Amino acid sequence: MTIKPIEILSANLLEEASLSDAQGEALANKSGVKNTISGAMTAVFSGAVSADKILIKNTDAQSITIEYKSAPSDESFTLFEDFALVKSGRDILITFDAPLEAASFKFTLLGESSSLYFYEFILLSSLLFLDKALTTFTPSGYRKGGYHYTADGTLIRWHEFSKNSGSLVLENLPESTKQTLEYICDGNVFLTFLFYGAYDLSQSGQYALTADFKAELNRLSGLWSVYLEITEK
Protein backbone atom coordinates (compact mmCIF):
# COMPACT_ATOMS: atom_id res chain seq x y z
CA MET A 1 0.00 0.00 0.00
CA THR A 2 1.33 3.45 -0.93
CA ILE A 3 2.34 5.85 1.85
CA LYS A 4 0.57 9.01 0.74
CA PRO A 5 1.59 12.62 1.53
CA ILE A 6 0.10 14.38 4.53
CA GLU A 7 -3.43 15.64 4.00
CA ILE A 8 -5.15 18.26 6.15
CA LEU A 9 -8.94 18.18 6.34
CA SER A 10 -11.74 19.99 8.13
CA ALA A 11 -12.91 19.38 11.65
CA ASN A 12 -15.75 16.90 12.01
CA LEU A 13 -18.68 18.14 9.92
CA LEU A 14 -21.04 16.05 12.06
CA GLU A 15 -20.57 18.52 14.90
CA GLU A 16 -22.92 20.84 12.95
CA ALA A 17 -25.57 18.14 12.37
CA SER A 18 -28.51 16.77 14.33
CA LEU A 19 -27.81 13.08 14.87
CA SER A 20 -30.33 10.31 15.47
CA ASP A 21 -30.29 6.52 15.65
CA ALA A 22 -32.38 3.97 13.75
CA GLN A 23 -35.32 4.58 16.10
CA GLY A 24 -35.22 8.35 15.58
CA GLU A 25 -33.82 9.04 19.03
CA ALA A 26 -31.19 11.76 19.48
CA LEU A 27 -27.68 10.35 19.24
CA ALA A 28 -24.44 11.76 20.66
CA ASN A 29 -21.22 11.30 18.69
CA LYS A 30 -18.70 11.66 21.51
CA SER A 31 -15.03 12.05 20.69
CA GLY A 32 -12.55 9.62 22.23
CA VAL A 33 -15.10 7.49 24.08
CA LYS A 34 -16.92 4.32 23.09
CA ASN A 35 -20.04 5.01 21.03
CA THR A 36 -22.28 1.97 20.56
CA ILE A 37 -24.79 1.88 17.71
CA SER A 38 -27.28 -0.62 16.33
CA GLY A 39 -28.42 0.04 12.79
CA ALA A 40 -28.13 3.43 11.12
CA MET A 41 -26.92 6.83 12.23
CA THR A 42 -28.66 9.75 10.49
CA ALA A 43 -27.12 13.23 10.28
CA VAL A 44 -29.32 16.17 9.28
CA PHE A 45 -27.78 19.56 8.45
CA SER A 46 -29.45 22.96 8.21
CA GLY A 47 -28.17 23.22 4.63
CA ALA A 48 -26.08 21.24 2.17
CA VAL A 49 -22.50 20.39 3.15
CA SER A 50 -19.70 19.05 0.97
CA ALA A 51 -17.79 15.98 2.14
CA ASP A 52 -15.21 13.71 0.55
CA LYS A 53 -13.88 11.46 3.32
CA ILE A 54 -14.90 9.60 6.46
CA LEU A 55 -12.47 8.54 9.17
CA ILE A 56 -13.69 5.98 11.71
CA LYS A 57 -11.32 5.34 14.58
CA ASN A 58 -11.12 2.24 16.77
CA THR A 59 -14.17 0.38 15.50
CA ASP A 60 -15.32 -3.22 15.14
CA ALA A 61 -17.27 -2.36 11.97
CA GLN A 62 -16.13 -4.05 8.77
CA SER A 63 -17.93 -1.96 6.16
CA ILE A 64 -20.52 0.78 5.76
CA THR A 65 -23.56 1.73 3.72
CA ILE A 66 -23.89 5.43 2.87
CA GLU A 67 -27.15 7.10 1.83
CA TYR A 68 -27.90 10.77 1.34
CA LYS A 69 -30.52 13.42 0.57
CA SER A 70 -29.46 16.33 -1.61
CA ALA A 71 -32.14 18.61 -0.14
CA PRO A 72 -34.29 18.51 3.02
CA SER A 73 -37.37 18.22 0.81
CA ASP A 74 -36.25 14.89 -0.68
CA GLU A 75 -38.66 12.15 0.35
CA SER A 76 -36.19 9.28 0.46
CA PHE A 77 -32.49 8.62 0.70
CA THR A 78 -30.33 7.78 -2.31
CA LEU A 79 -27.69 5.05 -2.04
CA PHE A 80 -24.14 6.35 -2.48
CA GLU A 81 -21.61 3.81 -3.76
CA ASP A 82 -18.85 5.91 -5.32
CA PHE A 83 -16.25 5.48 -2.60
CA ALA A 84 -13.30 3.31 -1.59
CA LEU A 85 -12.96 1.79 1.89
CA VAL A 86 -9.64 0.77 3.43
CA LYS A 87 -9.15 -0.80 6.86
CA SER A 88 -5.97 -0.20 8.84
CA GLY A 89 -6.01 -2.11 12.09
CA ARG A 90 -9.20 -1.04 13.87
CA ASP A 91 -9.43 2.17 11.86
CA ILE A 92 -11.31 2.77 8.59
CA LEU A 93 -10.73 5.43 5.93
CA ILE A 94 -13.46 6.03 3.34
CA THR A 95 -12.59 8.20 0.32
CA PHE A 96 -15.31 9.47 -2.01
CA ASP A 97 -14.56 9.43 -5.73
CA ALA A 98 -15.71 13.07 -5.83
CA PRO A 99 -17.02 15.49 -3.17
CA LEU A 100 -20.65 14.80 -2.27
CA GLU A 101 -22.99 17.69 -1.43
CA ALA A 102 -25.90 16.63 0.76
CA ALA A 103 -28.29 18.01 3.36
CA SER A 104 -28.47 14.73 5.27
CA PHE A 105 -26.64 11.44 5.45
CA LYS A 106 -27.51 7.98 6.70
CA PHE A 107 -24.61 5.74 7.74
CA THR A 108 -25.19 2.04 8.45
CA LEU A 109 -22.24 0.23 10.00
CA LEU A 110 -21.91 -3.45 9.15
CA GLY A 111 -20.00 -6.09 11.08
CA GLU A 112 -20.20 -9.43 12.81
CA SER A 113 -22.81 -8.31 15.34
CA SER A 114 -25.89 -6.10 15.29
CA SER A 115 -24.39 -3.76 17.90
CA LEU A 116 -21.16 -2.08 16.80
CA TYR A 117 -18.92 0.58 18.30
CA PHE A 118 -16.53 3.35 17.33
CA TYR A 119 -14.48 5.89 19.22
CA GLU A 120 -14.43 8.51 16.45
CA PHE A 121 -16.73 8.95 13.47
CA ILE A 122 -15.54 11.95 11.45
CA LEU A 123 -17.17 13.27 8.25
CA LEU A 124 -14.64 15.41 6.42
CA SER A 125 -13.94 17.90 3.68
CA SER A 126 -10.38 18.05 2.31
CA LEU A 127 -8.55 21.38 2.72
CA LEU A 128 -4.90 20.86 1.73
CA PHE A 129 -2.93 17.98 0.20
CA LEU A 130 0.81 18.40 0.81
CA ASP A 131 2.02 16.37 -2.15
CA LYS A 132 4.84 18.79 -3.03
CA ALA A 133 6.18 19.33 0.49
CA LEU A 134 8.95 17.53 2.33
CA THR A 135 7.22 16.43 5.52
CA THR A 136 8.35 14.95 8.81
CA PHE A 137 6.00 14.00 11.61
CA THR A 138 7.57 13.05 14.93
CA PRO A 139 4.81 11.59 17.09
CA SER A 140 4.79 11.82 20.84
CA GLY A 141 1.94 11.36 23.26
CA TYR A 142 0.26 12.61 26.38
CA ARG A 143 -0.98 10.20 29.00
CA LYS A 144 -2.85 10.98 32.20
CA GLY A 145 -2.20 8.13 34.54
CA GLY A 146 0.19 6.86 37.16
CA TYR A 147 0.62 4.61 40.16
CA HIS A 148 -0.33 4.73 43.81
CA TYR A 149 -0.26 2.44 46.83
CA THR A 150 -3.33 1.44 48.81
CA ALA A 151 -3.36 1.31 52.59
CA ASP A 152 -2.34 -2.36 52.57
CA GLY A 153 0.65 -1.65 50.33
CA THR A 154 -0.87 -2.89 47.06
CA LEU A 155 0.45 -1.06 44.01
CA ILE A 156 -2.35 0.23 41.77
CA ARG A 157 -1.81 1.44 38.21
CA TRP A 158 -4.41 3.87 36.88
CA HIS A 159 -4.98 5.27 33.38
CA GLU A 160 -7.54 7.98 32.71
CA PHE A 161 -6.80 8.84 29.08
CA SER A 162 -4.05 9.20 26.48
CA LYS A 163 -3.71 11.46 23.46
CA ASN A 164 -1.53 11.54 20.37
CA SER A 165 0.61 14.60 19.76
CA GLY A 166 3.72 15.49 17.89
CA SER A 167 5.87 17.88 15.88
CA LEU A 168 5.07 18.37 12.20
CA VAL A 169 7.75 19.92 9.97
CA LEU A 170 6.79 20.97 6.43
CA GLU A 171 9.58 22.10 4.11
CA ASN A 172 9.88 23.54 0.59
CA LEU A 173 6.46 25.17 0.67
CA PRO A 174 5.67 27.80 -1.96
CA GLU A 175 4.19 31.08 -0.75
CA SER A 176 0.65 30.11 -1.81
CA THR A 177 0.71 26.84 0.16
CA LYS A 178 2.20 28.56 3.21
CA GLN A 179 -0.54 31.21 3.12
CA THR A 180 -3.27 28.58 2.75
CA LEU A 181 -1.87 26.60 5.68
CA GLU A 182 -1.59 29.71 7.84
CA TYR A 183 -5.17 30.67 6.99
CA ILE A 184 -6.70 27.30 7.91
CA CYS A 185 -4.67 27.21 11.15
CA ASP A 186 -5.47 30.83 12.04
CA GLY A 187 -8.47 30.13 14.26
CA ASN A 188 -6.67 27.27 16.03
CA VAL A 189 -9.74 25.12 15.49
CA PHE A 190 -9.42 21.37 15.40
CA LEU A 191 -8.36 20.11 12.00
CA THR A 192 -8.04 16.51 10.84
CA PHE A 193 -4.63 15.19 9.81
CA LEU A 194 -3.99 12.08 7.70
CA PHE A 195 -0.26 11.50 8.08
CA TYR A 196 0.29 8.38 5.98
CA GLY A 197 -2.97 7.96 4.09
CA ALA A 198 -4.54 4.55 4.68
CA TYR A 199 -1.11 2.95 5.13
CA ASP A 200 -1.26 3.65 8.87
CA LEU A 201 -4.23 5.46 10.40
CA SER A 202 -3.19 5.04 14.03
CA GLN A 203 -1.84 8.62 14.35
CA SER A 204 -4.51 10.21 12.16
CA GLY A 205 -7.26 12.22 13.83
CA GLN A 206 -8.35 15.68 14.96
CA TYR A 207 -5.58 17.97 16.20
CA ALA A 208 -5.14 21.57 17.28
CA LEU A 209 -2.01 23.70 17.55
CA THR A 210 -0.40 23.88 20.98
CA ALA A 211 2.11 26.58 19.97
CA ASP A 212 2.07 29.58 17.66
CA PHE A 213 2.28 28.98 13.92
CA LYS A 214 5.97 29.20 13.03
CA ALA A 215 7.30 29.72 9.50
CA GLU A 216 10.80 30.42 8.15
CA LEU A 217 11.72 31.68 4.66
CA ASN A 218 14.73 30.36 2.78
CA ARG A 219 16.08 33.47 1.04
CA LEU A 220 17.92 31.47 -1.62
CA SER A 221 15.03 29.27 -2.75
CA GLY A 222 12.13 31.54 -1.82
CA LEU A 223 10.45 28.53 -0.17
CA TRP A 224 9.06 28.24 3.34
CA SER A 225 9.49 25.81 6.21
CA VAL A 226 6.61 25.52 8.68
CA TYR A 227 6.79 24.01 12.18
CA LEU A 228 3.58 22.88 13.90
CA GLU A 229 3.18 21.50 17.41
CA ILE A 230 -0.12 19.63 17.53
CA THR A 231 -2.15 17.65 20.06
CA GLU A 232 -5.13 15.38 19.52
CA LYS A 233 -8.63 16.40 20.55
Side-chain angles (χ1 to χ4, degrees):
M1 187 182 297
T2 303
I3 303 177
K4 292 189 175 182
I6 291 175
E7 185 174 6
I8 303 176
L9 305 100
S10 66
N12 193 356
L13 299 176
L14 294 181
E15 292 180 356
E16 304 300 322
S18 298
L19 304 178
S20 59
D21 59 19
Q23 290 72 44
E25 299 293 330
L27 182 67
N29 179 18
K30 297 181 180 178
S31 177
V33 299
K34 190 173 184 178
N35 296 268
T36 303
I37 186 170
S38 298
M41 175 174 68
T42 300
V44 179
F45 295 87
S46 58
V49 298
S50 177
D52 52 26
K53 281 186 173 63
I54 298 172
L55 177 62
I56 309 175
K57 298 281 291 180
N58 192 4
T59 180
D60 60 348
Q62 301 297 317
S63 60
I64 188 172
T65 296
I66 302 173
E67 300 170 85
Y68 70 96
K69 290 182 180 180
S70 297
S73 58
D74 291 351
E75 293 186 2
S76 59
F77 283 92
T78 300
L79 181 65
F80 179 67
E81 298 181 292
D82 299 330
F83 64 86
L85 182 150
V86 179
K87 286 185 59 67
S88 173
R90 284 193 170 272
D91 302 327
I92 293 176
L93 178 63
I94 297 160
T95 302
F96 300 176
D97 294 348
L100 174 64
E101 289 196 7
S104 58
F105 293 84
K106 181 185 289 186
F107 307 107
T108 305
L109 297 179
L110 306 172
E112 296 181 355
S113 66
S114 59
S115 180
L116 303 170
Y117 69 83
F118 57 83
Y119 278 72
E120 303 272 358
F121 192 110
I122 313 173
L123 180 67
L124 298 163
S125 177
S126 183
L127 300 176
L128 187 60
F129 192 60
L130 295 166
D131 56 335
K132 303 274 191 253
L134 297 176
T135 61
T136 303
F137 177 58
T138 305
S140 57
Y142 175 79
R143 178 180 179 276
K144 186 175 181 181
Y147 302 86
H148 71 270
Y149 288 94
T150 62
D152 63 359
T154 302
L155 179 63
I156 301 295
R157 178 177 182 267
W158 61 277
H159 175 208
E160 186 171 337
F161 67 85
S162 58
K163 292 184 178 183
N164 291 324
S165 61
S167 300
L168 179 59
V169 180
L170 309 171
E171 299 178 288
N172 290 352
L173 299 181
E175 175 70 18
S176 58
T177 303
K178 179 259 184 185
Q179 287 184 349
T180 300
L181 182 60
E182 190 168 15
Y183 173 76
I184 64 178
C185 291
D186 187 51
N188 198 28
V189 296
F190 283 99
L191 300 169
T192 304
F193 289 76
L194 296 178
F195 295 105
Y196 315 109
Y199 183 84
D200 180 7
L201 294 171
S202 61
Q203 296 289 333
S204 295
Q206 297 184 84
Y207 290 79
L209 301 186
T210 57
D212 291 339
F213 185 95
K214 180 181 178 182
E216 295 179 352
L217 176 64
N218 185 314
R219 292 180 179 272
L220 293 177
S221 66
L223 299 175
W224 291 86
S225 295
V226 171
Y227 306 88
L228 302 179
E229 296 294 329
I230 55 177
T231 294
E232 192 177 28
K233 188 172 185 179

